[in-house]
Amino acid sequence: MIKRGVSLYSYQEEFFLRTLSLEECVAHAASVGARGIEVIPEQSLPGYPNISDEQVAQWRGWMEQYGTTTSATDLFLDTKRHRDRWLTHEEQVASFRADIDLAVRLGAPVIRAIINTPPEVMRDAAPYARDHGVRLLLEVHAPFHYSHPWILEHLEVMHAEGGVGLGLMPDMGTFVERFPRVVSERAIRDGAKPELVDYIVKLYDDHGDTHALMDIVHYRGGGPVEMGLARQATHFIYRDPDELLPHMDLVGHVQAKFYEMVDDSTEYSIPYERIIPVFEKGGFTGYLSSEYEGNRHIQDAFEVDSREQVRRQHAMFASLLGETTDQLQGA
């Protein structure tokens, strides 16, 4: 059965403002039946990358206390850490190995590798991951998709490696069917011309060609806000969820991105009711890990309530996954 989890990225607003502690984030996830906790050490654990044994013990204690498990850790490959040069290939692989060591200490079976990771870094870090019992999963993040040349290069490496140390982490931002209204409404509040916002949203919702959208908005007199919205439209994509099926054996975890849960059954932009059956058909049994990203688009005018948004998404997940009342109460 597909499992439910939360990326602590979802609570970033409250965590940054110190209205939620790290433990309270874990507790809330557990309270909605999300038993897999995805953590970004760089964001959540002070002192990263030098995490103490005491911090690790505290984290593992929370996992036991709340009946949760570390479902994944997220790494960021800083390819230009030195101001005067790019990191060498060897330095990038060494960076991965350090994150692998930390994932093992935290009890995570998989690690999110960010989309900018070169295929050869994944290839050369794979044996170390495999030897330590974890799997490096490339996050397939919009505007990339499964037939994009960059992803095809990664797939070639993954298949050559055998899919043991490497795999995929689909981000549901590749299935944005409708332009997120929290994004377009923020542009209006920031002073965008309503007619240009409408043009951008309609073109996207009609699945039109967005490649020249920034040029068109410029020709129509768009300023920085309108250009920024047009650029955003080129980074949202909608692909047929069935494109996942040929790659399901490589999928180890899912970034269940969402921008706005309208109620307990509907995400405004992403058709989860058509996506989850694809994972079920493909035999996926890993975690759907909530990744709330609406906060940054409403924080200028509204109070952010990440907990309510996460709760709504998990109510939707439970319904779509056919969980019974007993299962929910026992979660």
Side-chain angles (χ1 to χ4, degrees):
M1 185 175 182
I2 295 174
K3 298 180 281 290
R4 295 190 283 119
V6 172
S7 167
L8 298 189
Y9 187 81
S10 298
Y11 305 111
Q12 61 181 284
E13 183 83 9
E14 292 88 345
F15 186 69
F16 176 77
L17 295 174
R18 300 297 188 262
T19 58
L20 275 182
S21 68
L22 187 60
E23 180 181 1
E24 287 169 334
C25 293
V26 173
H28 181 265
S31 75
V32 300
R35 296 306 181 187
I37 307 297
E38 179 182 343
V39 60
I40 307 174
E42 187 172 349
Q43 180 186 66
S44 300
L45 301 179
Y48 173 89
N50 301 310
I51 306 303
S52 69
D53 291 341
E54 290 75 17
Q55 286 175 287
V56 172
Q58 182 182 60
W59 176 264
R60 285 182 171 268
W62 289 336
M63 294 300 100
E64 182 176 355
Q65 178 181 348
Y66 294 104
T68 53
T69 187
T70 311
S71 58
T73 60
D74 292 16
L75 65 77
F76 293 90
L77 181 62
D78 187 358
T79 56
K80 202 172 184 181
R81 187 172 298 163
H82 303 292
R83 282 188 292 176
D84 59 338
R85 66 174 179 84
W86 295 92
L87 292 185
T88 66
H89 172 78
E90 290 73 19
E91 287 171 328
Q92 292 178 47
V93 173
S95 174
F96 261 56
R97 289 178 176 174
D99 279 299
I100 291 167
D101 290 339
L102 180 55
V104 171
R105 294 173 69 201
L106 294 173
V110 301
I111 303 170
R112 187 288 308 267
I114 197 166
I115 187 66
N116 71 332
T117 304
E120 56 270 20
V121 173
M122 294 284 281
R123 178 197 65 208
D124 291 348
Y128 193 81
R130 184 176 62 245
D131 291 347
H132 286 75
V134 298
R135 198 176 180 195
L136 293 168
L137 303 179
L138 182 76
E139 182 183 21
V140 182
H141 193 287
F144 295 91
H145 50 81
Y146 299 91
S147 57
H148 189 283
W150 181 250
I151 303 302
L152 293 177
E153 288 185 49
H154 276 279
L155 287 170
E156 185 176 352
V157 169
M158 290 174 193
H159 286 297
E161 186 272 338
V164 179
L166 300 178
L168 296 170
M169 185 180 290
D171 184 295
M172 297 300 93
T174 57
F175 304 112
V176 176
E177 188 170 36
R178 289 202 294 175
F179 198 94
R181 66 181 178 182
V182 293
V183 179
S184 57
E185 289 174 354
R186 173 63 185 267
I188 292 290
R189 292 196 301 275
D190 286 344
K193 298 175 182 177
E195 64 273 18
L196 285 181
V197 172
D198 290 345
Y199 181 88
I200 292 166
V201 171
K202 185 177 188 307
L203 179 67
Y204 185 88
D205 288 354
D206 289 343
H207 299 173
D209 187 345
T210 62
H211 287 85
L213 184 56
M214 292 183 68
D215 290 317
I216 293 171
V217 170
H218 173 66
Y219 301 155
R220 291 182 179 273
V225 178
E226 293 89 350
M227 292 293 286
L229 190 68
R231 184 178 188 277
Q232 183 70 73
T234 68
H235 281 73
F236 290 137
I237 62 170
Y238 175 71
R239 306 287 294 189
D240 185 342
D242 281 345
E243 290 185 5
L244 287 164
L245 287 172
H247 311 292
M248 203 63 74
D249 60 328
L250 290 171
V251 175
H253 190 84
V254 174
Q255 294 279 32
K257 179 170 291 177
F258 70 108
Y259 299 94
E260 181 190 7
M261 288 299 304
V262 177
D263 50 34
D264 285 7
S265 62
T266 308
E267 207 289 329
Y268 182 83
S269 301
I270 301 173
Y272 276 98
E273 72 281 0
R274 299 204 306 276
I275 295 171
I276 288 180
V278 174
F279 284 109
E280 292 177 320
K281 181 178 179 180
F284 176 69
T285 57
Y287 284 95
L288 293 172
S289 188
S290 293
E291 188 182 41
Y292 174 49
E293 289 198 5
N295 62 307
R296 71 190 67 167
H297 305 295
I298 65 171
Q299 61 190 188
D300 66 305
F302 306 102
E303 182 178 353
V304 175
D305 191 348
S306 305
R307 285 170 288 188
E308 174 61 12
Q309 284 289 301
V310 169
R311 185 203 66 77
R312 289 181 183 183
Q313 191 185 39
H314 280 270
M316 176 184 69
F317 285 163
S319 176
L320 292 174
L321 292 170
E323 294 184 26
T324 65
T325 303
D326 290 342
Q327 286 173 316
L328 290 172
Q329 291 176 341

